[in-house]
Amino acid sequence: MTFTIAVSGKGGTGKTAITALLVKALGKRVDGPMLVVDADPNSNLNEALGIDAKRTIGDIRERFLKNKESLPPEQPKDEYLNYLIQSSIIEGEDFDMMIMGRPEGPGCYCYLNNILRKIIDSTSQHYPLVLIDTEAGLEHFSRRTTKDLDLLLVVTDPTVRGAMTAKRIKELCKELHIKVGRIFLIINRMSPQLEGRIDGIAKTSGIELGGIVPEDSLIQQFDIKGDSLLNLPENSPALKAIDDLVERVLLRLIAA
Ligand SMILES: Nc1ncnc2c1ncn2[C@@H]1O[C@H](COP(=O)(O)OP(=O)(O)O)[C@@H](O)[C@H]1O
Ligand SMILES: [Mg+2]
């Protein structure tokens, strides 16, 4: 059985940073490889994880459309696509990674997109744990064949706008018929002066508070230098908060 975790939230609130910290915290504690999916077209999760981007699913779609006429007729198209997808998966130390890249065009290439989605879903099912860095619009999920999510972590900064987007994301799940097992709010970039806002932010979002991640200058420094967040020292306050979230909440849910 695959346990699927998605990280969503308004752009710039720290989804990619939190996803990278989760890779680090979960990688140490969970047996078996995990599949990390970068499903935010504006994301650069691979950089946060210190790996070079290979071909994205978007690239595969384009390449297939360009070459499909010249494919040998005896080669089944879905086999060829499966081959392209498998070879686009990047193998990291504790995890494998798939990058979605450019989103699908509106309504076009339906047949091809259906095949791609089926291959992605069946690939995901080979992993005990799938972790997805996704965009606030949840585009990726609205199109998947399997829409179930075991856990949705909605990241917000300590602002009303972030909390409103979080609320909207929760509503979107209903509208898009995405079945979510549990949903938690993560307030990121918390500082002591802003602690008075915690209750208000959680209330505005309408989502149960799962954890609070402090402002951590190490994350900024690592991002500026382009260093992998997997190399953050154990005393990084943000990493400690994510370690705590994993120990306190996630491991129990994953094991259940
Ligand atoms: N806890 C944190 N402390 C300090 N800076 C952070 C923290 N979380 C994220 N950042 C910074 O905020 C910016 C946006 O983070 P990012 O993860 O790219 O957001 P998103 O993926 O939601 O767009 C980055 O420059 C990152 O370094
Ligand atoms: Mg991002």
Side-chain angles (χ1 to χ4, degrees), residues 166-222:
K167 180 171 187 234
R168 178 78 195 117
I169 289 168
K170 188 180 173 186
E171 290 164 357
L172 256 182
C173 286
K174 272 212 182 113
E175 286 166 27
L176 299 173
H177 305 290
I178 301 169
K179 269 195 239 148
V180 182
R182 293 295 296 269
I183 168 166
F184 287 113
L185 184 74
I186 308 291
I187 305 182
N188 187 26
R189 310 196 70 162
M190 181 50 68
S191 56
Q193 313 84 281
L194 298 176
E195 266 164 22
R197 290 199 190 169
I198 294 173
D199 289 345
I201 300 270
K203 205 165 168 199
T204 302
S205 75
I207 303 172
E208 183 182 348
L209 183 61
I212 296 172
V213 179
E215 174 74 22
D216 184 342
S217 60
L218 284 170
I219 293 193
Q220 290 250 307
Q221 285 168 30
F222 273 56

Side-chain angles (χ1 to χ4, degrees), residues 15-16 40 42-44 133:
K15 295 182 293 291
T16 298
D40 183 349
N42 302 312
S43 182
N44 41 6
D133 180 5

Side-chain angles (χ1 to χ4, degrees), residues 33-238:
M34 128 176 73
L35 179 67
V36 182
V37 182
D38 184 349
D40 183 349
N42 302 312
S43 182
N44 41 6
L45 180 62
N46 62 293
E47 282 165 27
L49 295 174
I51 43 186
D52 290 332
K54 274 215 310 202
R55 206 184 293 142
T56 69
I57 303 295
D59 298 337
I60 291 173
R61 187 185 303 116
E62 296 307 315
R63 184 172 146 147
F64 179 82
L65 287 168
K66 233 201 244 152
N67 296 344
K68 66 174 183 207
E69 304 309 335
S70 51
L71 284 178
E74 67 278 9
Q75 174 153 39
K77 305 246 181 305
D78 45 355
E79 237 170 56
Y80 177 58
L81 280 166
N82 187 31
Y83 162 76
L84 289 179
I85 290 183
Q86 300 312 324
S87 58
S88 77
I89 294 176
I90 306 160
E91 287 178 17
E93 218 166 276
D94 288 326
F95 61 91
D96 290 349
M97 181 171 190
M98 188 189 272
I99 305 175
M100 301 307 292
R102 239 176 306 182
E104 299 166 15
C108 51
Y109 322 139
C110 258
Y111 171 74
L112 170 60
N113 286 326
N114 275 332
I115 301 179
L116 284 172
R117 263 176 259 140
K118 276 196 191 125
I119 296 171
I120 292 164
D121 286 341
S122 68
T123 303
S124 306
Q125 278 154 25
H126 291 123
Y127 292 84
L129 188 61
V130 176
L131 179 61
I132 309 168
D133 180 5
T134 190
E135 56 190 338
L138 299 177
E139 289 286 331
H140 171 65
F141 291 99
S142 62
R143 296 180 166 132
R144 272 177 49 168
T145 48
T146 324
K147 289 195 178 178
D148 296 359
L149 272 179
D150 296 292
L151 175 65
L152 176 63
L153 299 175
V154 185
V155 181
T156 182
D157 46 19
T159 67
V160 174
R161 278 212 191 97
M164 293 295 287
T165 306
K167 180 171 187 234
R168 178 78 195 117
I169 289 168
K170 188 180 173 186
E171 290 164 357
L172 256 182
C173 286
K174 272 212 182 113
E175 286 166 27
L176 299 173
H177 305 290
I178 301 169
K179 269 195 239 148
V180 182
R182 293 295 296 269
I183 168 166
F184 287 113
L185 184 74
I186 308 291
I187 305 182
N188 187 26
R189 310 196 70 162
M190 181 50 68
S191 56
Q193 313 84 281
L194 298 176
E195 266 164 22
R197 290 199 190 169
I198 294 173
D199 289 345
I201 300 270
K203 205 165 168 199
T204 302
S205 75
I207 303 172
E208 183 182 348
L209 183 61
I212 296 172
V213 179
E215 174 74 22
D216 184 342
S217 60
L218 284 170
I219 293 193
Q220 290 250 307
Q221 285 168 30
F222 273 56
D223 272 350
I224 289 168
K225 286 193 286 174
D227 285 346
S228 164
L229 295 182
L230 297 180
N231 295 331
L232 277 174
E234 295 297 327
N235 66 356
S236 139

